[in-house]
Amino acid sequence: MIHKPQQAAKVLGNKPMSLIITSPLRGWATTLDSVPDPVFAQRMMGDGVAIQPLGDTVVAPFDGEVVTLHDAGHAISLRSAEGAEILIHVGLDTVMLKGEGFTPLVAIGDTVSRGDPLIRFDLDAVALAATSLITPVIVTNAETFAISRRTVDCAIGACEALMTLVPVQAETRRRSDDGTVVEQAVTLSLPHGIHARPAARIGETARAFEAEVHLLNGDKRGDARSTVALLALGTGFGDEVVVQARGGDAEAALAAIVALLATDMGEGAPAATSITTPVPASAGQVLRAGQIGGVIASPGLAMGPAARLQQAEIAVARDGSGPAGERAALLAARGDVRGQIAKRADSADGSVAAVMHAHLALIDDPELLAGAEKRIAEGRSAGFAWRGAVHDQVDAIRATGNAHLIERIDDLIDIERQLLSTLTNTPLGSNAIPAGAIVVAEDLLPSQLVTLAAAKPAGICLARGGPTSHVAILCAGMGLPALVAVGDALDAVADGAPLLLDAEMGHLTVAPSPADSEAFTARLAKRDARREAARAAARDACQTGDGTRIEIFANIGTVEDALLAAAQGAEGSGLVRSEFLFLDRETAPSEDEQQAAYQGIANALLGKPVIIRLLDIGGDKPAAYIPIAQEENPALGQRGIRVALARPDLLETQLRAILRVEPVGQCKIMIPMVASIDELRQVRALVDRLRGEMGIATPIEVGVMVETPAAAMTADLLAAEADFLSIGTNDLTQYVLAMDRGNPAVAAGVDAMHPAVLRMIGETCRLATARGRWVGVCGGLASDPAALPILVGLGVTELSAVPGFVAEAKQIVRGLTLIEARAHAELALQCKSAAEIRALARAFEETRR
Ligand code: PEP
Ligand code: MG
């Protein structure tokens, strides 16, 4: 019977309702592919997960009703209140046992709650008698529910999250009167709507079918195979889109795309708010005459003459010389450009290569090609046709009003210009940029930046652009200071005008006074001298001028980071972001894999302390195989240690891997996102149990991260039981200021130098040191030169910075005395804003020339 649930199409706010299916058994979760029975492996009964049982009791996977219970007691199906139907089939060919070894504990029609025992079975007897014990857990009404997340290839406990289901709203499926088109509406679970990555997956899925598939959002319609067309739909989380399929395998294509769209495609939870216009970083700072504020896209300082980038205008003839010739010309030009981009991608590093790959997809985008072909067929030239096709898409994306998508327009314009340059044989005409100049432009395309970087400019200043554009990402990767979104005021900056680019404070000074230039030169010189001295003394221990020992550690994720950190003189690692091992993969890393990774890091740091942060998943760091229900506020939901404690299998595996690293004790354990002492106690108890089991007598230090105001305010309670405290200023800032660290709309305000955050840090140090525990900082503030004197003055004695800043951090600390750092910190705590504190920090730095 097909049950049409009453509530399947119900939405909660504008969010599709999802349902967590918890595991009915303790055991090993695996995919249906590994079930040696085609009925299950080929999903004839539906999709799901299989469990190799280690426990002998099947429990209810949700609150619901028992719908069927086989006489042989080996199979049971249940229906949830939301209408999801699940079949649990214990073992294969177990029907033959005719009930032998199975004890049903419920009856058909019973109402059960999640975790209620349903069937008990004799594990050993059934294992001996059955073909296999493997137990498929199947969603039998796939026409109404799709699996958006599932747990596979890992140990799982009964009642732990196994699958997340979302309604697919099959009742909205329709067929056109002539029968050629099928369509279905689906509510998007994608947290950021269809942006580039989901668009690529949709395109890939659509290409597997012959049918033409289109997506409709309101009156906008896009080919499912075209990235740009899907972007131009301007969709967001919770939008209802209609999928239309036409052609031979239309039904199958529709089902596949709808099933994909019903999931979150591993993108995690939605952002708390939509992106709006970025706020200039200069908000809150007082700009003087001659200064223009902008958004910091890549931090740093630069001084030099303005070099206005001349954009060569590429003229194209309107009419072509015949469709055949124009088509051939376009094809050849696309081939050439594809070759040039592929070459750049091959010789580039991570971020540049990623951008180049995005461009490669655009050169073959079917929507662009169709737009160009239409114009060529109407008699237009190849260049005119390509430009028209690109601009159709640019207009469509711009019309969405979605800032995140609009930043991707640059990539389209880039592809337009590269192709037209090749087609018309017009050099792309970046005028020569003198080395050491500050490039000033309306906007910059990624490929232009890659080309002009060879001229070694000192900095970049753009009237437009956004802090998350590809150009911003590339500048940061190249260490090139950059300001973006400076606005029309930049038009008045003449070519050759002397400029001071302050991408630490977020402003540009045009034609500075001699005094300003002198002060800026001094800052630059000081920075250079400090870097030079720092490099020379990188390996020396670090203490303040009056003898207070301050340890300078590094934040790392990989063995490569550890090697770099050691070369920079790091005295250990204050934060190993172990989640890097867990992200961007289908299954959790095994104990052996983790042990090898941690041992590699410990070896690279030559016996120095290594503080491994336990898995910090959730919020902005989703892992597909650790299902977390859709959350209204992911940053306030299942994050950090809350996830780890809910998945003791993962936590135990990680702890065992850490405890196996030699020499024992080199690795310390740090708990992320602690909000209460109970979390510390649970982890400590687990560590002690495992030490007992593994025969480890050496005590293992367990510390907590201070990332929540709760942890900061109870630092004394935590310090009574923790071995150390380390402040994660990135999260502490977002929670203290109630500003999402990943939301560009509030990015300018998310400054850890806010007096509220510094007061929290001061209080943490006061409370913890009174209990004799050391306090470190491993958040971004430990890599901010302006903040170090304040942190030391507040009582922080360990700083864990990005590896590239370690030597410089040591040098800054050596130039301080504790007495003056304390006085400076006192003043900082009395300031009224982050801007005031930054001005104070600048003044403090000036006094130290
Ligand atoms: C922090 O929150 O400051 C921190 C170090 O953790 P992450 O940035 O990895 O969340
Ligand atoms: Mg954090």
Side-chain angles (χ1 to χ4, degrees):
M1 182 193 84
I2 295 179
H3 174 77
K4 289 265 183 207
Q6 292 294 304
Q7 301 172 48
K10 197 170 107 185
V11 290
L12 203 59
N14 64 349
K15 183 183 290 193
M17 197 173 54
S18 62
L19 169 68
I20 303 266
I21 307 294
T22 49
S23 179
L25 275 165
R26 184 166 72 82
W28 182 262
T30 180
T31 64
L32 289 182
D33 302 320
S34 45
V35 180
D37 182 334
V39 170
F40 295 112
Q42 292 173 17
R43 279 69 171 171
M44 292 178 198
M45 302 199 66
D47 198 2
V49 171
I51 297 172
Q52 191 68 52
L54 292 172
D56 63 0
T57 308
V58 177
V59 299
F62 45 57
D63 298 346
E65 182 193 340
V66 177
V67 181
T68 65
L69 177 61
H70 199 282
D71 289 346
H74 70 295
I76 187 166
S77 66
L78 299 104
R79 183 184 305 133
S80 76
E82 298 80 2
E85 291 175 353
I86 296 288
L87 168 72
I88 305 162
H89 192 283
V90 183
L92 300 181
D93 296 330
T94 33
V95 66
M96 315 286 198
L97 302 182
K98 299 195 171 74
E100 194 70 36
F102 288 95
T103 313
L105 305 171
V106 288
I108 293 174
D110 280 1
T111 300
V112 291
S113 299
R114 192 190 299 276
D116 283 353
L118 305 174
I119 301 172
R120 184 153 297 127
F121 58 100
D122 183 333
L123 198 59
D124 296 335
V126 176
L128 282 176
T131 316
S132 165
L133 259 186
I134 196 155
T135 299
V137 182
I138 305 290
V139 182
T140 51
N141 55 345
E143 70 285 358
T144 41
F145 281 92
I147 302 171
S148 66
R149 286 184 180 188
R150 68 189 86 201
T151 305
V152 285
D153 295 331
C154 63
I156 192 159
C159 292
E160 288 179 4
L162 183 67
M163 294 183 264
T164 305
L165 305 190
V166 287
V168 295
Q169 300 165 312
E171 64 271 31
T172 64
R173 190 172 297 178
R174 291 182 292 267
R175 183 169 279 281
S176 63
D177 291 342
D178 62 1
T180 54
V181 180
V182 274
E183 69 170 35
Q184 184 172 339
V186 59
T187 303
L188 291 184
S189 301
L190 287 161
H192 306 291
I194 304 175
H195 64 94
R197 203 169 17 186
R201 281 199 56 194
I202 295 166
E204 201 180 295
T205 307
R207 278 189 283 277
F209 297 93
E210 276 173 17
E212 274 175 36
V213 184
H214 285 86
L215 267 58
L216 285 75
N217 184 24
D219 56 359
K220 298 192 205 108
R221 186 167 193 270
D223 183 341
R225 294 183 175 89
S226 164
T227 305
V228 292
L230 294 180
L231 293 185
L233 293 175
T235 54
F237 174 75
D239 281 356
E240 185 176 272
V241 298
V242 174
V243 185
Q244 280 185 345
R246 172 200 299 270
D249 50 4
E251 288 276 0
L254 182 74
I257 300 287
V258 166
L260 188 61
L261 288 173
T263 72
D264 68 354
M265 300 193 207
E267 295 272 312
T273 53
S274 61
I275 296 169
T276 56
T277 316
V279 181
S282 53
Q285 58 168 314
V286 183
L287 295 173
R288 290 190 282 120
Q291 287 186 335
I292 315 171
V295 172
I296 299 169
S298 170
L301 300 175
M303 181 178 191
R308 256 199 184 279
L309 193 71
Q310 311 295 340
Q311 304 271 28
E313 274 309 318
I314 306 179
V316 287
R318 177 175 175 275
D319 294 324
S321 56
E326 298 300 332
R327 262 181 216 121
L330 182 60
L331 189 68
R334 283 176 47 228
D336 287 354
V337 173
R338 193 185 297 111
Q340 291 157 18
I341 301 176
K343 208 156 124 206
R344 262 182 246 143
D346 284 349
S347 58
D349 73 351
S351 51
V352 176
V355 174
M356 296 303 119
H357 283 297
H359 287 187
L360 280 175
L362 291 177
I363 213 69
D364 293 322
D365 188 278
E367 198 80 6
L368 291 179
L369 297 183
E373 169 55 32
K374 179 171 156 280
R375 288 172 170 85
I376 288 176
E378 289 165 0
R380 306 292 163 246
S381 72
F384 190 90
W386 183 252
R387 176 168 277 168
V390 167
H391 282 267
D392 281 353
Q393 299 306 326
V394 167
D395 292 346
I397 293 175
R398 202 161 271 143
T400 67
N402 179 327
H404 196 70
L405 298 180
I406 288 171
E407 286 191 2
R408 301 277 100 82
I409 286 178
D410 282 359
D411 297 302
L412 273 168
I413 302 287
D414 203 342
I415 281 297
E416 175 203 333
R417 288 178 58 82
Q418 289 184 62
L419 195 117
L420 296 189
S421 151
T422 303
L423 198 58
T424 60
N425 221 354
T426 313
L428 263 180
S430 296
N431 43 316
I433 298 291
I438 294 174
V439 177
V440 171
E442 180 67 8
D443 210 344
L444 199 59
L445 299 171
S447 68
Q448 285 175 311
L449 176 63
V450 173
T451 311
L452 67 78
K456 304 239 171 300
I460 305 282
C461 191
L462 305 178
R464 296 199 294 114
T468 60
S469 68
H470 276 152
V471 164
I473 294 164
L474 292 175
C475 284
M478 294 171 183
L480 196 55
L483 285 183
V484 297
V486 171
D488 294 342
L490 201 61
D491 292 349
V493 175
D495 201 27
L499 300 179
L500 308 177
L501 181 86
D502 189 336
E504 283 174 0
M505 294 298 286
H507 58 68
L508 180 79
T509 308
V510 186
S513 67
D516 283 346
S517 296
E518 203 183 309
F520 202 84
T521 310
R523 269 174 80 195
L524 276 167
K526 192 161 175 295
R527 186 198 62 185
D528 292 346
R530 194 168 66 202
R531 282 192 184 158
E532 196 41 53
R535 261 193 292 274
R539 287 173 185 277
D540 300 350
C542 175
Q543 56 183 34
T544 60
D546 50 359
T548 304
R549 178 85 170 93
I550 306 287
E551 288 175 309
I552 307 293
F553 285 5
N555 293 349
I556 59 176
T558 61
V559 175
E560 289 72 31
D561 292 346
L563 290 167
L564 175 65
Q568 294 279 324
E571 301 175 86
S573 172
L575 170 63
V576 177
R577 286 190 161 97
S578 69
E579 60 276 7
F580 286 148
L581 265 173
F582 291 75
L583 298 174
D584 293 328
R585 52 190 291 160
E586 298 296 316
T587 56
S590 67
E591 183 181 316
D592 285 350
E593 184 182 343
Q594 289 188 57
Q595 192 275 339
Y598 305 147
Q599 187 69 61
I601 288 171
N603 293 349
L605 286 168
L606 306 168
K608 298 187 179 92
V610 174
I611 299 179
I612 301 185
R613 172 170 75 185
L614 297 178
L615 182 59
D616 187 20
I617 288 286
D620 57 342
K621 301 173 196 161
Y625 54 89
I626 306 178
I628 295 173
Q630 291 280 1
E631 293 175 317
E632 203 55 57
N633 288 305
L636 306 182
Q638 284 294 93
R639 285 204 55 186
I641 191 60
R642 300 170 193 171
V643 173
L645 288 173
R647 289 293 305 267
D649 55 320
L650 290 179
L651 183 55
E652 274 196 34
T653 306
Q654 182 171 36
L655 289 173
R656 281 180 170 277
I658 296 171
L659 292 174
R660 279 171 53 199
V661 176
E662 290 182 341
V664 178
Q666 183 186 350
C667 288
K668 306 168 199 291
I669 290 163
M670 183 160 75
I671 313 174
M673 286 298 300
V674 168
S676 78
I677 193 157
D678 189 50
E679 291 155 331
L680 166 63
R681 286 183 180 155
Q682 288 187 59
V683 174
R684 173 84 76 186
L686 200 50
V687 171
D688 288 344
R689 172 165 72 71
L690 294 174
R691 277 175 56 221
E693 285 170 18
M694 297 166 77
I696 297 171
T698 316
I700 304 294
E701 288 190 30
V702 179
V704 295
M705 283 190 81
V706 176
E707 294 175 287
T708 63
M713 289 296 98
T714 55
D716 51 339
L717 307 180
L718 293 167
E721 297 184 31
D723 292 304
F724 59 89
L725 289 82
S726 182
I727 304 175
T729 49
N730 308 335
D731 275 312
L732 185 63
T733 305
Q734 86 163 340
Y735 294 125
V736 168
L737 302 183
M739 288 182 182
D740 179 352
R741 63 192 266 192
N743 183 347
V746 294
V750 186
D751 189 340
M753 290 279 249
H754 191 290
V757 182
L758 294 186
R759 288 179 187 203
M760 282 270 176
I761 296 173
E763 198 56 7
T764 305
C765 293
R766 189 181 70 75
L767 293 171
T769 46
R771 296 277 185 155
R773 297 291 173 228
W774 62 262
V775 178
V777 170
C778 60
L781 208 57
S783 302
D784 182 340
L788 296 202
I790 299 175
L791 294 177
V792 171
L794 290 175
V796 170
T797 57
E798 179 251 26
L799 295 159
S800 195
V802 293
F805 182 63
V806 165
E808 205 178 333
K810 283 185 168 180
Q811 201 59 15
I812 293 173
V813 171
R814 288 185 192 116
L816 295 172
T817 64
L818 192 58
I819 293 182
E820 62 191 1
R822 280 190 182 145
H824 176 48
E826 260 313 304
L827 286 176
L829 293 189
Q830 302 316 313
C831 287
K832 295 179 193 65
S833 65
E836 238 184 65
I837 294 176
R838 289 205 174 271
L840 177 78
R842 169 83 54 76
F844 182 78
E845 197 187 329
E846 303 277 301
T847 64
R848 330 198 53 72
R849 269 193 241 161

